[in-house]
Amino acid sequence: MDVVVLVSGRGSNLRAICSAIDAGTCHANIVGVVSDRKKAAALEFAEGRGIPTRVVSLRKGDDRNAWNDSLTAEVASLEPDLVVLAGFMRVLGAPLLERFPGRIINVHPALLPSFPGHSGPQDALDGGVRVSGCTVHIVDTGVDTGPILAQAAVPVLADDTVDTLHSRIQVQEHRLLPRVIHQIAIGAITLDPLTMSTPVADPTLSLSVPDI
Ligand code: GRF
């Protein structure tokens, strides 16, 4: 299964996917990494591995429709079977969603439907929850609203800061995201746009709170 990964930043999830591919536990092939930020560390990592990279920047005042069209053209030119948002910090427009219906997934650092948006770990702390985690879901037109494929939980500790909580969540993201990609690759998860409201997910994928 050919995958394009969309990134904006550090790229620890991209590294985790690559490690799982190298270990033979994720049967996917990354055919390209696309970023909205030229300076994303994830790009440097991808280039180091010989993965084709593309940058489609969006600056203040830029035409958002034109950006959506360019992003769609760049991703489509790589001909992926699956598009993975791994720390891509932009909301996708209709062109990409329509070009890959039900074939775009995202990893989010909270247990959706709680705490969608840009500050999941901070919002979980502010909400006083005792358990948080990460979610892998299909991307739809909303912000972190698409059908949930898998989740992993982590405890929220009394002395947590946003950084300590996010780091604990990321350990689980790095396990869960490659597993979901693998399950899609082998057909254990079906991404059928016609059944987007009821995706067939492997219940064993979701992880309970690990011992820490
Ligand atoms: C992750 O926590 C992901 O859930 C969120 O952005 C972060 C990206 O981290 N969408 P990285 O760039 O993969 O290290």
Side-chain angles (χ1 to χ4, degrees):
M1 182 178 70
D2 287 343
V3 176
V4 164
V5 182
L6 267 56
V7 297
S8 296
R10 215 157 53 100
S12 67
N13 279 287
L14 172 65
R15 285 167 199 263
I17 298 165
C18 290
S19 298
I21 290 171
D22 292 347
T25 56
C26 180
H27 292 175
N29 175 35
I30 301 183
V31 293
V33 170
V34 180
S35 175
D36 62 319
R37 288 186 52 238
K38 205 164 62 185
K39 291 197 171 140
L43 284 177
E44 210 176 307
F45 170 76
E47 279 154 18
R49 270 184 78 100
I51 300 171
T53 60
R54 309 266 198 279
V55 178
V56 187
S57 310
L58 178 65
R59 286 181 212 86
K60 230 179 174 176
D62 281 356
D63 179 344
R64 186 107 196 178
N65 291 335
W67 177 79
N68 272 309
D69 288 342
S70 304
L71 182 68
T72 304
E74 291 292 2
V75 173
S77 73
L78 296 160
E79 300 185 357
D81 302 305
L82 180 74
V83 179
V84 176
L85 310 192
F88 188 67
M89 303 310 279
R90 304 277 182 186
V91 177
L92 299 181
L96 193 64
L97 292 168
E98 283 165 10
R99 179 70 181 71
F100 297 97
R103 307 293 304 174
I104 308 176
I105 64 170
N106 178 47
V107 58
H108 179 75
L111 293 176
L112 295 172
S114 294
F115 313 125
H118 279 317
S119 48
Q122 182 65 60
D123 294 344
L125 283 181
D126 294 346
V129 295
R130 289 285 151 250
V131 174
S132 189
C134 59
T135 303
V136 179
H137 66 96
I138 300 174
V139 177
D140 66 7
T141 53
V143 176
D144 304 321
T145 51
I148 292 170
L149 296 172
Q151 295 183 305
V154 304
V156 179
L157 305 182
D159 59 353
D160 262 337
T161 63
V162 66
D163 288 339
T164 58
L165 176 58
H166 197 179
S167 299
R168 193 174 309 119
I169 290 170
Q170 285 219 289
V171 171
Q172 297 307 318
E173 291 183 344
H174 299 161
R175 295 174 65 200
L176 195 65
L177 183 58
R179 287 175 67 175
V180 171
I181 294 169
H182 179 66
Q183 297 280 311
I184 294 169
I186 64 172
I189 294 178
T190 309
L191 298 182
D192 181 347
L194 298 176
T195 59
M196 262 188 68
S197 57
T198 53
V200 182
D202 175 353
T204 62
L205 262 180
S206 292
L207 308 174
S208 57
V209 181
D211 292 334
I212 56 164

Coordinates of all heavy atoms in Angstrom, one line a residue, residues 7-15 42 85-89 106-110 117 121 134-135 144 166 169-170 173-174, ligand 1:
V7 N 2.8 16.4 6.8 CA 3.5 16.9 8.1 C 3.6 18.4 8.1 O 3.5 19.0 7.1 CB 4.9 16.3 8.2 CG1 4.9 14.8 8.2 CG2 5.8 16.8 7.0
S8 N 3.7 18.9 9.4 CA 4.0 20.3 9.5 C 5.2 20.5 10.4 O 5.8 21.6 10.5 CB 2.8 21.0 10.2 OG 1.7 21.0 9.4
G9 N 5.6 19.5 11.2 CA 6.6 19.8 12.2 C 7.7 18.7 12.4 O 8.3 18.3 11.4
R10 N 7.8 18.3 13.6 CA 8.9 17.4 14.0 C 9.0 16.1 13.3 O 10.1 15.6 13.0 CB 8.7 17.1 15.5 CG 9.9 17.0 16.4 CD 9.6 17.3 17.8 NE 8.5 16.5 18.3 CZ 8.6 15.4 19.0 NH1 9.8 15.0 19.4 NH2 7.6 14.7 19.4
G11 N 7.9 15.5 13.1 CA 7.8 14.2 12.4 C 8.1 13.0 13.2 O 8.6 12.0 12.6
S12 N 7.8 13.0 14.5 CA 8.1 11.8 15.3 C 7.2 10.7 14.8 O 7.6 9.5 14.8 CB 8.0 12.0 16.8 OG 6.7 12.3 17.1
N13 N 6.0 11.0 14.4 CA 5.1 9.9 13.9 C 5.6 9.4 12.6 O 5.5 8.2 12.3 CB 3.6 10.5 13.8 CG 2.9 10.4 15.1 OD1 2.6 9.4 15.7 ND2 2.8 11.6 15.7
L14 N 6.1 10.2 11.7 CA 6.7 9.8 10.5 C 7.8 8.8 10.8 O 7.9 7.7 10.1 CB 7.2 11.0 9.7 CG 8.0 10.6 8.4 CD1 7.1 9.9 7.4 CD2 8.6 11.9 7.8
R15 N 8.7 9.1 11.7 CA 9.8 8.2 12.1 C 9.2 6.9 12.6 O 9.8 5.8 12.3 CB 10.6 8.9 13.2 CG 11.5 10.0 12.7 CD 12.0 10.7 14.0 NE 12.5 12.0 13.6 CZ 13.8 12.3 13.3 NH1 14.7 11.4 13.5 NH2 14.1 13.5 12.9
A42 N 10.5 17.2 9.8 CA 10.1 15.9 9.2 C 10.6 15.8 7.8 O 10.9 14.7 7.3 CB 8.6 15.8 9.2
L85 N -2.3 12.0 7.8 CA -1.9 13.3 8.4 C -1.2 12.9 9.7 O -1.8 12.4 10.6 CB -3.1 14.1 8.7 CG -4.2 14.4 7.6 CD1 -5.1 15.5 8.0 CD2 -3.5 14.7 6.3
A86 N 0.1 13.3 9.8 CA 0.9 13.0 11.0 C 1.5 14.3 11.5 O 2.6 14.6 11.2 CB 2.0 12.0 10.7
G87 N 0.7 15.0 12.2 CA 1.1 16.4 12.7 C 1.0 17.4 11.6 O 1.7 18.3 11.5
F88 N 0.0 17.3 10.7 CA -0.3 18.3 9.7 C -1.3 19.2 10.3 O -2.4 18.9 10.7 CB -0.9 17.6 8.4 CG -1.0 18.5 7.3 CD1 0.2 19.1 6.7 CD2 -2.2 18.9 6.8 CE1 0.1 19.9 5.6 CE2 -2.3 19.8 5.7 CZ -1.2 20.3 5.1
M89 N -0.9 20.5 10.5 CA -1.6 21.4 11.3 C -2.6 22.3 10.5 O -2.9 23.4 10.9 CB -0.7 22.3 12.1 CG 0.3 21.5 13.0 SD -0.6 20.3 14.0 CE -1.2 21.3 15.3
N106 N -6.0 10.6 10.2 CA -5.3 11.6 11.0 C -5.0 11.0 12.4 O -5.8 10.2 12.9 CB -6.1 12.8 11.2 CG -5.5 13.9 12.1 OD1 -4.3 14.2 11.9 ND2 -6.3 14.4 13.0
V107 N -3.9 11.4 13.0 CA -3.7 11.1 14.4 C -3.8 12.3 15.3 O -3.3 13.4 14.9 CB -2.3 10.4 14.7 CG1 -1.1 11.3 14.2 CG2 -2.1 10.0 16.1
H108 N -4.6 12.2 16.3 CA -5.0 13.4 17.2 C -4.6 13.1 18.6 O -4.9 12.0 19.1 CB -6.5 13.7 17.1 CG -6.9 14.8 17.9 ND1 -6.6 16.1 17.6 CD2 -7.5 14.9 19.1 CE1 -7.0 16.9 18.5 NE2 -7.6 16.2 19.5
P109 N -4.0 14.0 19.3 CA -3.5 13.8 20.7 C -4.5 14.0 21.8 O -4.3 14.7 22.8 CB -2.3 14.8 20.9 CG -2.7 15.9 20.0 CD -3.5 15.4 18.9
A110 N -5.7 13.3 21.7 CA -6.7 13.3 22.7 C -7.7 12.2 22.4 O -7.6 11.6 21.2 CB -7.5 14.6 22.8
G117 N -9.2 19.8 17.9 CA -8.6 21.1 17.7 C -7.1 21.0 18.0 O -6.5 20.0 18.2
P121 N -3.9 18.2 24.3 CA -3.3 17.9 25.6 C -3.6 19.0 26.6 O -4.0 18.7 27.8 CB -1.8 17.8 25.3 CG -1.7 17.3 23.9 CD -2.9 18.1 23.2
C134 N -4.7 9.1 22.6 CA -4.7 9.5 21.2 C -5.8 8.7 20.4 O -6.2 7.7 20.8 CB -3.3 9.3 20.6 SG -2.8 7.5 20.6
T135 N -6.1 9.3 19.2 CA -7.1 8.8 18.4 C -6.6 8.8 16.9 O -6.0 9.8 16.5 CB -8.4 9.6 18.4 OG1 -8.8 9.7 19.8 CG2 -9.5 9.1 17.6
D144 N -11.3 17.2 13.3 CA -11.2 16.0 14.2 C -12.5 15.4 14.5 O -12.8 14.9 15.6 CB -10.5 16.4 15.5 CG -9.1 17.0 15.2 OD1 -8.4 16.6 14.3 OD2 -8.8 18.0 15.9
H166 N 1.7 15.4 26.8 CA 1.8 15.2 25.3 C 2.9 14.1 25.0 O 2.7 13.3 24.1 CB 2.1 16.5 24.6 CG 1.9 16.5 23.1 ND1 2.0 17.5 22.3 CD2 1.4 15.5 22.3 CE1 1.7 17.2 21.0 NE2 1.3 15.9 21.0
I169 N 1.4 10.8 25.6 CA 0.5 10.5 24.5 C 1.2 10.0 23.3 O 0.8 9.1 22.6 CB -0.4 11.7 24.2 CG1 -1.4 11.9 25.4 CG2 -1.2 11.5 22.9 CD1 -2.2 13.2 25.4
Q170 N 2.3 10.7 23.0 CA 3.0 10.4 21.7 C 3.6 9.0 21.7 O 3.7 8.4 20.7 CB 4.1 11.5 21.5 CG 3.5 12.8 21.0 CD 4.3 13.5 19.9 OE1 5.4 14.0 20.2 NE2 3.8 13.5 18.7
E173 N 0.9 7.2 20.4 CA 0.7 7.5 18.9 C 1.7 6.7 18.1 O 1.3 6.1 17.0 CB 1.0 9.0 18.7 CG -0.1 9.9 19.3 CD 0.2 11.4 18.9 OE1 1.3 11.7 18.4 OE2 -0.7 12.2 19.1
H174 N 2.9 6.6 18.6 CA 3.9 5.9 17.8 C 3.7 4.4 17.7 O 4.2 3.8 16.8 CB 5.3 6.2 18.4 CG 5.6 7.7 18.4 ND1 6.6 8.2 19.2 CD2 5.1 8.7 17.7 CE1 6.6 9.6 19.0 NE2 5.7 9.9 18.1
Ligands
GRF1 C1 1.1 14.7 17.3 O1 0.9 14.7 18.7 C2 -0.3 14.5 16.6 O2 -1.2 13.9 17.3 C3 -0.7 15.9 16.4 O3 0.5 16.6 16.1 C4 1.6 16.0 16.7 C5 2.7 15.7 15.7 O4 3.8 15.3 16.2 N1 -1.7 16.0 15.3 P1 5.0 14.8 15.3 O5 5.3 15.9 14.3 O6 4.6 13.5 14.6 O7 6.2 14.6 16.2

